[in-house]
Amino acid sequence: VSRVLNGHVSVRAATRVRVEAAVQQLGYRPSALARGLVNGRSHTLGFAVYALHNPTLGLLAHGVASAAHLRGYDVIIVDSFGDADSRGERIAKLVERRVDGLLLAPTRLEEELSTIRRTGIKTVVFDTAPEGYTDDDDPLVSFVGTDNARGGHVATHHLLELGHRRIGFLGYPHTIQGSKDRLQGYRRAHDEHGIQVDPALVVEDLHDMEAARAATCQLMENGRPPTAIFAVNDELAIAALQALTWRGSHVPDDVALVGFDDTPLAAWLTVPLTTIAMPIAEIGRIATNLLIDQIEHPAAPAQRVVVPSRLIVRESCGASKKVAQPDKVGSMPVMTTRCCDGYRGHPGDK
Amino acid sequence: VSRVLNGHVSVRAATRVRVEAAVQQLGYRPSALARGLVNGRSHTLGFAVYALHNPTLGLLAHGVASAAHLRGYDVIIVDSFGDADSRGERIAKLVERRVDGLLLAPTRLEEELSTIRRTGIKTVVFDTAPEGYTDDDDPLVSFVGTDNARGGHVATHHLLELGHRRIGFLGYPHTIQGSKDRLQGYRRAHDEHGIQVDPALVVEDLHDMEAARAATCQLMENGRPPTAIFAVNDELAIAALQALTWRGSHVPDDVALVGFDDTPLAAWLTVPLTTIAMPIAEIGRIATNLLIDQIEHPAAPAQRVVVPSRLIVRESCGASKKVAQPDKVGSMPVMTTRCCDGYRGHPGDK
DNA sequence: CTGTTAGCGCTTTCAA
DNA sequence: TTGAAAGCGCTAACAG
């Protein structure tokens, strides 16, 4: 029976048919548990994510799940919403489940890595590798993510090219690597334009939309308010949009706004949001396939994949009012080109 | 060793300590696979969901995962985004994994039920039971959901009380049970007010936001446009809001708008959305606990839980401009009371 | 080509 | 209180 089910070479056609008939009859299903026990491989992946209600992460989960299913793997979710502390423990629990691999949408990368190191499970982290990190540190850990610094740079550069000189920055706490990197891009764009960033314009430590709203108001009540705002993600940008609108500032005429992530609703706001889009479901797929490759070919080395993001120009930045062809915006074709390269929407998403 | 780990009665203290030390030393973790094999229980739940990038479903997933973790279960996600066809097959696969129970955020209830029936796995469906359905049909299947008809009624009633007489309805295809039920509530509210529904005002078959936008425009270009719109969920409402705003209709002054679901962003639109909220994460928790109860006490009968929803009055319906106390709106306290009963926000959500 | 056997890591039962 | 043995459902190796 085992030989039939696993498609082994040497089985007579007659026997095969007979077995298959019986299987049909009884509605027999082989136990993945028993199988995993003997093979030492459970065909299960653990996916640790901190906020499933975030549409971007949901899309990521979708990419992960669909790629995994395609290759015969199942995905166990570890939801660490609200308490990052329990996360390490939960990940350890996955060891008991004998997951073959781990996917991490991280909160505190450093801590998590040490957990991984201990368990020795092959892992893919959704992020770019921290600076100074080398593969030798964790030969089991791969990284898949977009270049956040570049995204921040492109967004800021776009606003700068539009003539803005006072650009506010709305960011997450500095401990969030992605936010930090985007800020770095923001800074570099300013440098390249020979513009000094007014520290009063940079607000980090925004942990939710309410904080972003308050920060926006404060920014505007400042003696010298910004003429544009770059928010580290669409969520914060949406809060800013509401705050600005309610204060009577028109977006984009009074204040231009650029977000990050291209959340599904970004295009559907009353002022559609200009934002940096990344192929998030595709990222999930790439990461999952990479992980499975490594599981199935243990010799394969850890990898770093940087997936390009691209600027999507909609209404909130005001560019559409000034230029017919958004492609023509900006004097740095290199940037635009490299960021768009290989990425034209979310393939397979719809 | 087994006796120590499972906290069995008869072990000498000394031995226990010795075993525990060794466990620590070796970093030993019992294999859930082997355990599941012998006990016949995998401590795993399958969660089938059709669109994880929907924040409402993400919140549901969060509720499910957190409740499951609390009781020592893990959750395998089955993502059926895009192809409902493969769903049955994927659910069948879960049988191989020997999941102890199934949670279904359904697309085609009827079909799915037959799959379940065949597998014989205890199941909870996130929905209210279909009309005419009795427990005898599937003693293994429980239902947990909000009363969609009531929600539709409350929303429509609210608009009616505000004086609107021509209320548009934006809905999903009629095959989606929830949408159908909400429409029924809409109709009943009209009946109770002795108002005939103009068929031209009811649009079903809206499968995405783009369709909702188009439908809204069409509705408005009608000879006798509505003065209010009730959308079957916030997603469609947000599309309608954009369409209306772009056409130059002010919400709520020209057209009032009410949605459904209270998606996390609803409060953050430039015109905050009046909507029907349900404690979605809580629903996930309730369902999961119910399922686990049934797994652990096989005698426990299937249940039907209807979780109350409630109207959240924000800007888009215009009520806040007319009445100070939203509670005073409406002449049918029964409705309001029963819908709010026992539900005061999303406990434990933050 | 196919029947048989050992053993994956655990729990349970039965002796000691 | 503890050691030993059987067996959960499967695969792999070894004979036949």
Side-chain angles (χ1 to χ4, degrees):
Chain A
V1 178
S2 176
R3 283 188 276 250
V4 172
L5 264 68
N6 295 323
H8 261 260
V9 263
S10 27
V11 252
R12 209 185 343 164
T15 341
R16 155 162 297 129
V17 170
R18 211 152 49 87
V19 172
E20 278 167 352
V23 167
Q24 278 294 324
Q25 278 260 305
L26 304 171
Y28 167 84
R29 292 272 171 185
S31 159
L33 261 46
R35 221 173 227 180
L37 186 57
V38 34
N39 299 335
R41 294 227 284 96
S42 61
H43 275 245
T44 307
L45 268 25
F47 177 45
V49 60
Y50 62 87
L52 229 27
H53 66 276
N54 175 327
T56 302
L57 289 175
L59 234 28
L60 181 69
H62 165 61
V64 167
S66 60
H69 293 164
L70 239 41
R71 298 189 62 172
Y73 283 71
D74 277 317
V75 178
I76 291 183
I77 48 171
V78 173
D79 176 40
S80 57
F81 187 77
D83 60 328
D85 297 324
S86 70
R87 225 184 159 196
E89 197 207 331
R90 295 242 78 257
I91 290 177
K93 275 276 179 211
L94 289 182
V95 178
E96 300 190 3
R97 281 243 128 81
R98 299 299 187 259
V99 294
D100 297 330
L102 226 46
L103 296 137
L104 252 50
T107 23
R108 310 184 199 157
L109 188 53
E110 300 303 333
E111 288 179 37
E112 238 111 71
L113 284 181
S114 75
T115 308
I116 306 312
R117 225 170 312 218
R118 219 171 303 125
T119 64
I121 299 179
K122 297 209 189 266
T123 302
V124 175
V125 175
F126 290 105
D127 211 336
T128 45
E131 234 172 303
Y133 181 96
T134 69
D135 283 341
D136 304 331
D137 291 343
D138 295 277
L140 268 48
V141 181
S142 295
F143 291 82
V144 178
T146 58
D147 188 332
N148 283 310
R150 167 131 57 202
H153 180 277
V154 171
T156 311
H157 174 74
H158 176 66
L159 289 169
L160 253 7
E161 284 294 309
L162 254 22
H164 294 284
R165 287 299 171 265
R166 292 187 59 76
I167 304 174
F169 175 87
L170 261 28
Y172 275 125
H174 207 66
T175 50
I176 309 283
Q177 185 65 36
S179 182
K180 198 157 78 178
D181 293 342
R182 291 172 193 184
L183 173 57
Q184 188 209 309
Y186 163 94
R187 292 219 139 96
R188 189 159 53 83
H190 278 82
D191 286 351
E192 286 173 11
H193 281 251
I195 296 172
Q196 273 233 311
V197 174
D198 178 352
L201 255 29
V202 175
V203 190
E204 294 187 88
D205 261 316
L206 267 23
H207 42 279
D208 60 21
M209 298 183 81
E210 183 49 46
R213 184 235 294 273
T216 305
C217 291
Q218 225 170 296
L219 231 38
M220 297 308 293
E221 273 146 29
N222 193 315
R224 301 178 57 208
T227 63
I229 291 178
F230 167 46
V232 87
N233 72 9
D234 288 349
E235 209 181 1
L236 301 190
I238 288 169
L241 175 62
Q242 189 189 65
L244 291 168
T245 306
W246 287 14
R247 300 183 85 261
S249 306
H250 184 270
V251 174
D253 295 344
D254 299 324
V255 180
L257 187 60
V258 176
F260 208 117
D261 284 352
D262 194 29
T263 200
L265 251 32
W268 290 97
L269 304 174
T270 46
V271 181
L273 195 63
T274 291
T275 190
I276 302 288
M278 49 209 190
I280 185 72
E282 187 58 25
I283 288 176
R285 271 182 223 112
I286 291 171
T288 307
N289 281 316
L290 176 61
L291 182 59
I292 295 177
D293 287 344
Q294 287 183 322
I295 290 167
E296 299 186 346
H297 310 286
Q303 286 192 42
R304 314 274 188 85
V305 181
V306 176
V307 181
S309 58
R310 58 168 187 166
L311 176 70
I312 297 201
V313 176
R314 289 197 272 249
E315 308 295 323
S316 70
C317 62
S320 57
K321 300 193 176 177
K322 307 193 181 178
V323 225
Q325 286 288 329
D327 287 334
K328 288 189 188 156
V329 172
S331 59
M332 298 186 57
V334 176
M335 228 54 225
T336 330
T337 311
R338 293 181 62 188
C339 284
C340 291
D341 206 6
Y343 168 39
R344 315 236 166 282
H346 294 198
D349 262 10
K350 268 265 156 137
Chain B
V1 178
S2 178
R3 283 187 275 250
V4 172
L5 263 68
N6 295 324
H8 261 259
V9 262
S10 28
V11 253
R12 205 178 354 157
T15 343
R16 156 164 294 129
V17 171
R18 210 153 48 88
V19 171
E20 279 167 352
V23 166
Q24 277 295 324
Q25 278 261 305
L26 303 171
Y28 167 84
R29 293 271 170 186
S31 159
L33 260 45
R35 228 175 219 175
L37 186 58
V38 33
N39 299 334
R41 294 225 285 96
S42 62
H43 275 246
T44 307
L45 268 25
F47 178 45
V49 60
Y50 62 87
L52 227 30
H53 65 277
N54 174 327
T56 302
L57 290 175
L59 235 27
L60 181 68
H62 165 60
V64 167
S66 60
H69 291 165
L70 240 40
R71 298 189 61 173
Y73 283 72
D74 276 317
V75 178
I76 290 182
I77 49 172
V78 173
D79 176 39
S80 59
F81 186 77
D83 60 329
D85 298 324
S86 70
R87 225 185 160 195
E89 197 207 330
R90 295 242 78 257
I91 290 177
K93 275 274 178 211
L94 289 182
V95 178
E96 301 190 3
R97 280 246 129 80
R98 301 296 187 261
V99 295
D100 297 329
L102 226 46
L103 297 136
L104 253 49
T107 24
R108 311 183 198 156
L109 188 53
E110 300 302 333
E111 290 178 35
E112 237 111 71
L113 283 181
S114 76
T115 307
I116 306 310
R117 226 170 309 218
R118 219 171 304 125
T119 64
I121 299 180
K122 298 211 188 262
T123 302
V124 175
V125 174
F126 290 105
D127 211 337
T128 44
E131 234 173 304
Y133 180 96
T134 68
D135 283 340
D136 303 332
D137 292 341
D138 294 278
L140 266 48
V141 181
S142 295
F143 291 83
V144 178
T146 58
D147 189 332
N148 283 309
R150 166 131 56 201
H153 180 278
V154 170
T156 311
H157 173 75
H158 176 66
L159 289 168
L160 253 9
E161 284 293 309
L162 253 21
H164 295 283
R165 287 300 170 262
R166 292 185 59 74
I167 304 175
F169 176 87
L170 261 27
Y172 275 124
H174 208 65
T175 49
I176 308 285
Q177 184 66 34
S179 182
K180 198 155 78 179
D181 292 342
R182 291 171 193 184
L183 173 58
Q184 189 209 308
Y186 164 93
R187 293 219 138 95
R188 188 158 55 82
H190 279 83
D191 286 351
E192 286 174 8
H193 281 251
I195 296 172
Q196 273 232 311
V197 174
D198 178 351
L201 254 31
V202 175
V203 190
E204 293 187 88
D205 260 317
L206 267 23
H207 43 278
D208 59 22
M209 298 182 82
E210 185 47 47
R213 184 237 292 272
T216 305
C217 291
Q218 225 170 296
L219 231 39
M220 297 308 292
E221 272 146 29
N222 193 315
R224 301 179 56 208
T227 62
I229 292 178
F230 167 47
V232 87
N233 72 10
D234 289 348
E235 210 181 359
L236 301 190
I238 288 168
L241 175 62
Q242 189 189 65
L244 291 167
T245 306
W246 288 13
R247 300 183 84 263
S249 306
H250 184 270
V251 175
D253 295 344
D254 300 324
V255 181
L257 186 61
V258 176
F260 208 117
D261 283 352
D262 193 29
T263 198
L265 251 33
W268 290 96
L269 304 174
T270 46
V271 181
L273 196 62
T274 291
T275 190
I276 302 288
M278 49 209 190
I280 185 71
E282 188 58 24
I283 288 176
R285 270 182 223 110
I286 291 171
T288 305
N289 281 316
L290 176 60
L291 181 59
I292 295 176
D293 286 346
Q294 287 182 320
I295 289 167
E296 299 185 346
H297 311 284
Q303 285 193 43
R304 314 275 188 83
V305 181
V306 176
V307 180
S309 58
R310 57 168 186 166
L311 177 70
I312 297 202
V313 177
R314 289 198 270 248
E315 308 296 323
S316 71
C317 62
S320 57
K321 301 192 176 179
K322 306 191 181 179
V323 225
Q325 287 288 330
D327 287 333
K328 287 188 187 157
V329 172
S331 60
M332 298 187 57
V334 175
M335 229 54 224
T336 330
T337 310
R338 291 182 63 188
C339 284
C340 292
D341 206 6
Y343 168 39
R344 314 233 166 284
H346 294 198
D349 261 12
K350 269 266 157 137

